[in-house]
Amino acid sequence: MARRMGTDIAIDPYDPKQLNPNSYNLRLHDELLVYANPVLDMKIDNTVSKLTIPSDGLQLEPGRLYLGRTMEHTRTDNLVPMLEGRSSIGRLGMFVHVTAGFGDVGFNGYWTLEIFVVQPLIIYPKIEICQIYYHHIEGDYTTYKKGKYQNNEGIQPSKMFQDFKQNE
């Protein structure tokens, strides 16, 4: 992975201390989003509110979805980026992605994390929360250049409502 930095893989900011043999640890930004309504509707742009994780920690509660993001901005060419939670985080009952651990070839942006906990847990900003790793591609592929989440600048709530508008 280190030999592909600056070519097929870009991570900003990059710190060699976060590099593992098979992956790179990404850190949690200090902002979270939570949905305002207890019932979500796929066809609408659901309202969110912002939380800030203070340096002395924020307690997450079970039964609530928190959307976070990585501090690091990543760009990937010619590889499939994959995101997984760290085992130390999982052993505390914290899940960092509900279903979206698979990135597109050419993804450029911050990773939105779909966070939930199985019991109350105090979290802190800048913790190494997840790891990114890469799969090789065989054969022809189409690079992800534009889409709902490409070139994002922060946490991305669901934009599934746009799919309904396109299909109407």
Side-chain angles (χ1 to χ4, degrees):
M1 186 156 104
R3 65 184 165 84
R4 296 185 97 153
M5 288 299 299
T7 58
D8 294 334
I9 299 170
I11 299 173
D12 184 37
Y14 175 80
D15 183 342
K17 290 184 249 168
Q18 291 168 232
L19 185 62
N20 302 309
N22 301 319
S23 63
Y24 182 87
N25 288 344
L26 300 175
R27 296 169 299 152
L28 179 64
H29 194 273
D30 70 351
E31 292 179 354
L32 297 173
L33 295 181
V34 291
Y35 287 106
N37 295 320
V39 176
L40 303 176
D41 186 337
M42 292 179 165
K43 286 188 172 185
I44 66 168
D45 187 4
N46 292 280
T47 304
V48 294
S49 58
K50 186 165 106 173
L51 302 173
T52 300
I53 307 169
S55 60
D56 60 343
L58 176 72
Q59 183 172 311
L60 302 185
E61 298 297 331
R64 183 130 212 216
L65 177 66
Y66 299 87
L67 299 177
R69 79 162 173 91
T70 59
M71 290 180 63
E72 293 81 8
H73 180 278
T74 71
R75 181 189 46 76
T76 308
D77 295 316
N78 304 311
L79 297 165
V80 177
M82 303 289 292
L83 198 71
E84 283 293 337
R86 294 182 59 222
S87 63
S88 295
I89 299 293
R91 291 171 195 194
L92 291 169
M94 181 179 188
F95 299 86
V96 299
H97 68 81
V98 176
T99 62
F102 183 73
D104 291 305
V105 178
F107 175 75
N108 182 25
Y110 296 96
W111 288 79
T112 293
L113 306 173
E114 301 123 357
I115 300 168
F116 70 95
V117 295
V118 297
Q119 65 188 67
L121 177 67
I122 300 171
I123 63 166
Y124 302 88
K126 301 182 184 178
I127 59 167
E128 293 181 12
I129 191 167
C130 60
Q131 51 195 328
I132 190 168
Y133 63 102
Y134 302 90
H135 282 286
H136 291 279
I137 302 169
E138 300 204 16
D140 295 333
Y141 63 91
T142 302
T143 299
Y144 181 65
K145 293 183 181 175
K146 62 180 180 175
K148 294 183 289 215
Y149 306 110
Q150 181 71 322
N151 300 313
N152 70 65
E153 293 297 323
I155 304 169
Q156 301 291 297
S158 177
K159 295 183 180 183
M160 183 161 226
F161 66 92
Q162 293 178 1
D163 296 347
F164 286 96
K165 288 180 182 178
Q166 290 175 355
N167 296 327
E168 289 179 348

